[in-house]
Amino acid sequence: MGVFVDHKEQLFYLQTPTTTYVMKLTGGRYLTHVYWGKKLFHLNKKNAFLNRMLAFSAVEEGDGETYTRDFIRGEYPTGGGTDHRFSALGVTFPDGSWDCQLEYVGFEAIAGKEKVPGLPSLYVEEEAEAETLKIFLKDPLWNLQVTLYYTVFKEYDVIVRRARVSNGGDQPVFLNRFLSASLDFEQDHFDLLSFPGAWGRERHMEKAGLRSGITCFGSNRGASSHQMNPLLILEEKGGDEDHGAAYAMNLIYSGNFLAGTEVDQLHQTRFFMGMGDDNFSWKLAAGEELDSPEVVLAFSSEGLGSLSRTFHDLYRNHLVRGKYKKEARPILVNNWEATYFDFNEEKILAIADAARDLGIELFVLDDGWFGEREDDSTSLGDWFVNTKKLPSGIQGLAEKIHQRGLKFGLWFEPEMVSKVSKLYEIHPDWCIHVKNRKRTECRNQLILDLSREEVCDYITNKISGILDSAEIDYVKWDMNRHMTEIGSCGLSSDRQKELPHRYMLGLYKIMEAITQSHPDILFESCSGGGGRFDPGLLYYMPQAWTSDDTDGIERLKIQYGSSFAYPLSAMGSHVSAVPNHQTGRVTPLKLRMDVAMSGNYGFELDLSKQSEEDLAAMKESIALAKGLRSFLPFGDFYRLLSPYQGGDTAWQVVSKDGQRIFAAYFQVLSKPNPGICRLKLKGLDASAFYLDEENGEIYSGGELMELGLVVSLYGDYQSKTWLFRRKDDYEVSD
Ligand code: GLA
């Protein structure tokens, strides 16, 4: 395992359990990419590394070879010298030139993994869990140093990459692009999977063949965004959930990002990801350095399913932290869709009473409890309780909720300020804005300027103060607009474009301080639903509100799309009322519950107004979910049927010990006179027996996987779930 350097051949090998990643020096100077894929123990240098001269490509010489960087596969290309393709780094030097040529200086291999200063990152608990290779590069003309970091985890088929730039010169330089990783494949026979969306329909998987030229994806909105997730997958043509090579990049960052592919003139594919550069420039003074976020590179030779399971395990074990890392999450009720802003203590307690009777464990008070907030036009920033609505305050309400045997949770939107607020009256310059330009509001709010230390301190102290003032067990941390008129009066004119990244550094600092000083609180991130559903935030908050769209049918695509990188333990998923508030669709309660219990289960409707029949069904489902949650969010997830191919959707979870299986089938539209529909399970032991816990039937694993279960559903929006338990003591009678 780990890092191996073949000094003679100048090859760097990174070995994971079943994969290999290889780099090589070319011309004795340039670091180039050679191989990433299924495990190899050795490469013949001449066979692995091809060289070619191209018309219209300038030729260089070095180490007895001639070559052009227009052809050779780059590892961290800068676009300088003879390289014409998409670069990972853009620099403007003190004389205005931007030709950057990074040459190899040396390497260091260390046990374990270092934290990335100020940024979320994967971690190890023991040094022996990982090895890190650092490769040092330098532009000798300006003494600009770049360190490339590669961490190899002992148990995971991933390479974690990042870069650090240090200005070793004596004058400032400006970075105008700073990606975390880039590498080149020798061919282009891939499909590219991306995860675009919008508010209410996040992470819808799109698949398309690669095309010649540069194809970019990203966010320029100041957040990773609903519109595009920082996840790309290259799937070998003809691959599927269980077959074919699949390569992914996923950025551990919650701000602007840029990712994509470039298919060059010889049909080689460049694959890259990192911070976005449209609103980015960074002044690096002499002696200063800047770290990129980490990007996780995952590979599977066995299709998309195992690729996703690698991400899930990695994130659950080496990204998510704290008390709730492996703990079952409380089943909650949130009052947002039940009351919106129109609540008082009486209404809240009525919902809490009904929740307690159902076995729900946590009551979450959403937006509208502070300042004078009766709708979304005021009070963000004024974090003091509205005693007209809640006469006994947060402390009193929390006590009353606890007396009912429920935990208590509270909504915040700490990064924002309403124009109509006390905070804005006192500090009108604390928001992101450009001097002398209008400050465009979105949802009647402006964004606080987290590049400023005093603003960050204010938020940290204010939120911590409230959390310490009452018994609060859960926090929903929301963020409901994107950046416009991006400027800071705390930054000099040559540093204005640093704001989006400085904002993220400020946000992460606040989140680190608050989450670490409140280790018993369960934090759930949210950004108008899943607008910042990324690995960056999972480092601070173990779960996220997957989408504001609570329609059971819409959730199939959203949760299925999210599962390509993110585990079920990250997905908040609630049952809401019908007609659904986002789509107007009426779906059966069973379907809504079956979809929601596949994630962190919750309810978001007025429980004090439900029929006896529905309450009884909810109670049953909650009891069932309590029995599943020790394994369901933490087990091996299998996508069985894609909502993107025909509508019907199915998924399955196998507990880590292989003893318990949950499977769910969702029929979107019924068809007249359908043929036999069977659901084939995955990941079982073919020679073991499994008990259907509902009806006592016994099936062999082989039968469940090869023949499958008969699915017979009648009507639109129907669902069926199964629970199996492995039966090792079952004997077949003669
Ligand atoms: C966002 C969230 C919702 C809710 C509202 C409150 O839209 O995604 O769940 O909290 O804000 O204003």
Side-chain angles (χ1 to χ4, degrees):
M1 105 86 181
V3 175
F4 171 71
V5 180
D6 181 340
H7 293 272
K8 190 164 146 266
E9 304 289 356
Q10 299 191 307
L11 287 164
F12 298 89
Y13 290 83
L14 304 174
Q15 302 285 19
T16 76
T18 74
T19 77
T20 299
Y21 187 105
V22 187
M23 295 164 277
K24 179 191 171 297
L25 287 187
T26 301
R29 298 187 275 189
Y30 299 125
L31 188 67
T32 56
H33 183 78
V34 175
Y35 177 82
W36 181 27
K38 225 171 162 170
K39 195 153 192 164
L40 299 173
F41 294 98
H42 180 262
L43 282 182
N44 175 304
K45 173 175 142 181
K46 286 196 185 131
N47 181 42
F49 194 75
L50 300 179
N51 199 357
R52 174 99 69 94
M53 291 303 125
L54 304 172
F56 270 79
S57 295
V59 171
E60 295 183 50
E61 276 186 35
D63 232 16
E65 290 177 290
T66 51
Y67 52 86
T68 173
R69 276 184 281 157
D70 202 14
F71 167 72
I72 59 179
R73 279 178 274 138
E75 182 64 24
Y76 196 70
T78 60
T82 63
D83 183 3
H84 296 282
R85 288 171 290 167
F86 200 83
S87 58
L89 183 69
V91 193
T92 305
F93 292 109
D95 65 353
S97 68
W98 67 93
D99 189 273
C100 177
Q101 305 209 21
L102 295 177
E103 300 187 3
Y104 175 77
V105 176
F107 79 93
E108 183 189 359
I110 59 165
K113 179 176 185 303
E114 293 171 4
K115 281 187 167 179
V116 190
L119 288 168
S121 56
L122 293 165
Y123 61 87
V124 290
E125 269 153 5
E126 313 268 335
E127 267 199 350
E129 289 170 353
E131 263 179 65
T132 300
L133 171 69
K134 300 183 202 177
I135 298 186
F136 305 110
L137 309 172
K138 182 165 94 173
D139 184 317
L141 188 61
W142 295 100
N143 199 9
L144 185 83
Q145 296 148 14
V146 173
T147 307
L148 302 180
Y149 291 76
Y150 300 83
T151 296
V152 186
F153 279 85
K154 195 172 168 186
E155 289 182 9
Y156 303 85
D157 285 323
V158 298
I159 310 281
V160 184
R161 283 188 60 177
R162 68 179 173 103
R164 169 176 291 167
V165 184
S166 319
N167 183 0
D170 52 13
Q171 296 175 67
V173 299
F174 286 85
L175 306 183
N176 40 55
R177 178 177 297 154
F178 183 27
L179 299 186
S180 302
S182 175
L183 60 95
D184 293 337
F185 297 94
E186 217 169 54
Q187 34 71 20
D188 67 350
H189 54 254
F190 295 114
D191 284 320
L192 179 63
L193 277 63
S194 57
F195 298 85
W199 174 85
R201 70 174 150 76
E202 298 89 337
R203 293 170 299 288
H204 274 211
M205 190 266 280
E206 276 186 8
K207 182 168 165 171
L210 292 183
R211 300 187 59 185
S212 294
I214 298 164
T215 306
C216 282
F217 301 80
S219 165
N220 205 9
R221 313 176 73 98
S224 51
S225 87
H226 310 82
Q227 286 73 10
M228 192 62 68
N229 197 260
L231 169 69
L232 286 183
I233 302 175
L234 284 174
E235 184 191 25
E236 192 179 31
K237 288 264 185 207
D240 60 25
E241 283 292 320
D242 306 299
H243 306 96
Y247 300 83
M249 286 203 196
N250 192 198
L251 192 66
I252 306 185
Y253 191 60
S254 317
N256 293 339
F257 72 95
L258 172 67
T261 54
E262 178 175 8
V263 176
D264 71 14
Q265 53 187 330
L266 297 179
H267 301 284
Q268 305 186 106
T269 304
R270 180 157 289 183
F271 190 25
F272 51 85
M273 187 172 273
M275 284 192 288
D277 61 13
D278 258 1
N279 293 329
F280 175 81
S281 160
W282 196 276
K283 180 179 178 181
L284 209 57
E288 281 183 353
E289 58 190 27
L290 183 67
D291 288 290
S292 81
E294 284 185 340
V295 64
V296 181
L297 280 69
F299 170 76
S300 167
S301 59
E302 293 171 357
L304 298 167
S306 81
L307 185 83
S308 297
R309 288 186 288 281
T310 296
F311 274 121
H312 298 172
D313 286 340
L314 182 76
Y315 290 167
R316 282 186 300 230
N317 294 322
H318 296 278
L319 180 65
V320 169
R321 301 176 295 167
K323 177 175 165 182
Y324 282 95
K325 172 173 171 169
K326 297 210 167 135
E327 207 168 289
R329 313 286 162 74
I331 296 174
L332 66 81
V333 60
N334 175 305
N335 73 306
W336 179 241
E337 286 198 23
T339 66
Y340 294 104
F341 294 101
D342 182 19
F343 62 82
N344 54 31
E345 193 177 278
E346 198 186 331
K347 277 193 191 177
I348 294 301
L349 292 177
I351 297 175
D353 283 334
R356 176 208 46 216
D357 294 345
L358 294 181
I360 287 174
E361 300 150 312
L362 164 67
F363 177 87
V364 180
L365 180 61
D366 210 279
D367 193 357
W369 58 266
F370 51 90
E372 296 183 1
R373 195 152 162 100
E374 300 297 339
D375 53 35
D376 63 16
S377 64
T378 73
S379 304
L380 290 169
D382 292 349
W383 298 111
F384 48 84
V385 69
N386 179 339
T387 43
K388 275 189 245 142
K389 283 181 176 177
L390 302 173
S392 46
I394 289 299
Q395 195 183 5
L397 181 63
E399 263 168 35
K400 290 179 189 174
I401 298 283
H402 279 107
Q403 279 159 11
R404 286 165 166 77
L406 294 168
K407 290 173 186 276
F408 178 68
L410 200 55
W411 179 95
F412 290 93
E413 197 178 352
E415 300 158 64
M416 299 291 153
V417 62
S418 305
K419 254 191 180 169
V420 184
S421 67
K422 303 248 175 327
L423 182 65
Y424 192 75
E425 272 171 34
I426 309 167
H427 293 294
D429 63 332
W430 270 18
C431 63
I432 290 178
H433 67 282
V434 175
K435 208 171 159 198
N436 299 326
R437 280 203 190 276
K438 72 174 185 306
R439 302 174 181 193
T440 310
E441 292 168 56
C442 178
R443 210 189 187 213
N444 305 302
Q445 61 200 58
L446 298 163
I447 306 183
L448 289 171
D449 180 355
L450 304 194
S451 72
R452 296 176 62 174
E453 212 170 324
E454 64 272 42
V455 179
C456 294
D457 291 346
Y458 171 83
I459 295 174
T460 306
N461 295 334
K462 206 70 205 163
I463 305 300
S464 298
I466 297 166
L467 298 182
D468 296 337
S469 72
E471 206 177 331
I472 295 170
D473 308 286
Y474 163 105
V475 164
K476 178 174 170 187
W477 185 298
D478 210 341
M479 191 281 234
N480 280 314
R481 69 158 291 177
H482 291 148
M483 293 180 186
T484 58
E485 294 98 23
I486 304 167
S488 167
C489 52
L491 292 171
S492 56
S493 58
D494 53 356
R495 289 192 180 272
Q496 287 293 318
K497 275 190 148 186
E498 296 176 13
L499 176 56
H501 183 52
R502 286 191 183 275
Y503 180 91
M504 295 317 305
L505 294 173
L507 176 66
Y508 289 145
K509 196 170 141 197
I510 296 170
M511 286 188 167
E512 181 70 7
I514 294 178
T515 55
Q516 293 305 304
S517 57
H518 298 88
D520 291 331
I521 293 182
L522 171 60
F523 287 85
E524 176 156 348
S525 76
C526 173
S527 174
R532 261 192 333 205
F533 200 102
D534 56 60
L537 281 197
L538 282 180
Y539 180 71
Y540 304 95
M541 308 192 172
Q543 60 188 58
W545 180 220
T546 314
S547 176
D548 270 350
D549 195 335
T550 52
D551 177 291
I553 295 299
E554 286 299 303
R555 276 293 183 124
L556 296 176
K557 283 187 176 163
I558 296 170
Q559 292 176 205
Y560 190 97
S562 304
S563 78
F564 279 86
Y566 309 108
L568 297 185
S569 58
M571 298 182 205
S573 185
H574 302 171
V575 174
S576 63
V578 288
N580 177 268
H581 295 190
Q582 294 78 39
T583 61
R585 187 177 285 130
V586 177
T587 52
L589 177 61
K590 172 154 171 50
L591 176 120
R592 283 175 275 146
M593 294 192 300
D594 287 347
V595 174
M597 76 153 74
S598 301
N600 293 317
Y601 202 13
F603 290 77
E604 188 147 344
L605 72 177
D606 192 343
L607 293 174
S608 67
K609 295 192 179 136
Q610 304 301 306
S611 69
E612 286 304 318
E613 193 190 344
D614 281 356
L615 287 172
M618 289 178 196
K619 196 166 181 171
E620 204 180 309
S621 163
I622 288 165
L624 176 70
K626 284 183 182 169
L628 304 183
R629 65 181 165 182
S630 61
F631 82 92
L632 207 151
F634 304 105
D636 288 333
F637 184 73
Y638 292 85
R639 288 179 294 265
L640 303 180
L641 200 55
S642 168
Y644 302 102
Q645 297 165 344
D648 286 6
T649 304
W651 52 56
Q652 179 202 334
V653 179
V654 181
S655 65
K656 282 288 174 191
D657 61 6
Q659 295 295 316
R660 304 196 66 194
I661 288 94
F662 169 83
Y665 189 102
F666 306 96
Q667 171 166 293
V668 176
L669 293 179
S670 83
K671 295 150 210 84
N673 222 348
I676 304 288
C677 170
R678 281 189 187 268
L679 181 66
K680 294 183 184 179
L681 302 191
K682 293 183 183 175
L684 307 183
D685 179 346
S687 56
F689 287 100
Y690 295 88
L691 166 78
D692 181 330
E693 293 192 36
E694 191 186 22
N695 58 20
E697 294 293 329
I698 299 270
Y699 303 86
S700 71
E703 178 183 3
L704 290 173
M705 293 192 290
E706 302 309 326
L707 182 61
L709 292 158
V710 175
V711 183
S712 169
L713 294 169
Y714 181 69
D716 296 345
Y717 313 140
Q718 300 298 308
S719 61
K720 162 104 185 107
T721 59
W722 295 263
L723 255 182
F724 293 96
R725 196 179 278 275
R726 186 175 165 134
K727 282 288 282 176
D728 284 331
D729 55 359
Y730 182 72
E731 284 176 22
V732 189
S733 51
D734 296 330

